């Protein structure tokens, strides 16, 4: 007989996933890993309340633009995923969220490198929150700074999102 699923908050779910202590009966109301993260090869390497760090092994042969560097859109998506993961740690069972805006400032190019995207809340509001994400190469140099505004949805507005 299959055990009944046990609901746990998103933050606990992700922390248990990282620690390898997630039981197959444990579930949360959001999907992890996300489809886009699986497709692009993102992985969560650290998570806390309103913060998350995602990693990507960037390779211009897979992620490159016409100049031979990693495409800026991939960096933006990596930051969006880190910000979304950070904000999801705050979500209750009847809540969801959506990005309102995202601004990316590129500082230097990326070729082949392990990238770490670290997102943190700068202002946490009841409905509107502001995040900052820095993406760094494995040499520690920041390659992009991304800011985003996130809208928290509750009740009926959160259903199906």
């Amino acid at each position: 007989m299959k055990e009944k699923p046990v609901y746990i908050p998103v933050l606990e779910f992700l922390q248990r996933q990282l620690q390898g202590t997630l039981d197959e009966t444990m579930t949360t109301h959001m999907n992890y890993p996300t489809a886009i993260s699986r497709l692009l090869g993102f992985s969560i390497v650290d998570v806390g309340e309103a913060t998350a760090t995602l990693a990507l092994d960037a390779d211009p042969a897979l992620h490159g633009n016409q100049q031979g560097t990693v495409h800026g859109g991939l960096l933006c998506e990596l930051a969006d995923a880190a910000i979304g993961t950070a904000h999801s740690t705050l979500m209750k069972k009847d809540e969801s969220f959506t990005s309102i805006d995202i601004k990316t400032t590129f500082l230097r190019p990326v070729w082949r490198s392990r990238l770490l995207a670290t997102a943190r809340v700068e202002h946490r509001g009841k409905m509107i929150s502001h995040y900052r994400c820095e993406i760094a190469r494995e040499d520690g140099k920041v390659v992009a700074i991304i800011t985003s505004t996130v809208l928290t949805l509750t009740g009926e507005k959160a259903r199906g999102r």
Side-chain angles (χ1 to χ4, degrees):
M1 185 169 162
K2 192 173 181 179
E3 291 185 50
K4 184 178 176 181
V6 176
Y7 175 83
I8 58 176
V10 173
L11 178 57
E12 181 182 350
F13 183 91
L14 293 174
Q15 287 173 331
R16 285 178 170 272
Q17 193 175 59
L18 281 173
Q19 296 162 357
T21 60
L22 188 64
D23 184 294
E24 64 273 354
T25 64
M26 296 174 185
T27 187
T28 194
H29 73 289
M30 297 197 163
N31 299 315
Y32 286 100
T34 64
I36 193 71
S37 291
R38 284 194 312 270
L39 176 68
L40 297 175
F42 302 164
S43 60
I44 300 171
V45 295
D46 192 33
V47 67
E49 187 174 305
T51 185
T53 300
L54 273 62
L56 168 68
D57 291 320
D59 180 348
L62 296 173
H63 310 115
N65 59 26
Q66 60 273 42
Q67 289 87 23
T69 59
V70 171
H71 195 283
L74 181 71
L75 300 178
C76 189
E77 178 56 39
L78 177 60
D80 190 49
I83 290 165
T85 302
H87 195 67
S88 73
T89 66
L90 304 174
M91 297 296 96
K92 298 180 181 105
K93 196 170 185 175
D94 68 338
E95 294 179 328
S96 188
F97 61 94
T98 188
S99 297
I100 296 174
D101 68 16
I102 191 162
K103 178 184 184 256
T104 304
T105 303
F106 300 106
L107 304 175
R108 54 184 46 93
V110 176
W111 290 274
R112 184 180 310 262
S113 182
R114 180 159 179 86
L115 300 176
L116 292 178
T118 301
R120 289 183 175 79
V121 70
E122 287 193 319
H123 167 79
R124 183 174 164 185
K126 185 175 180 177
M127 291 182 64
I128 303 287
S129 297
H130 299 271
Y131 283 83
R132 176 184 173 96
C133 180
E134 290 188 0
I135 300 176
R137 298 186 308 210
E138 59 197 340
D139 64 6
K141 292 186 178 180
V142 176
V143 299
I145 298 171
I146 298 87
T147 58
S148 183
T149 306
V150 179
L151 172 65
T152 298
L153 305 165
T154 58
E156 191 61 36
K157 291 180 180 176
R159 289 193 216 296
R161 305 257 326 168

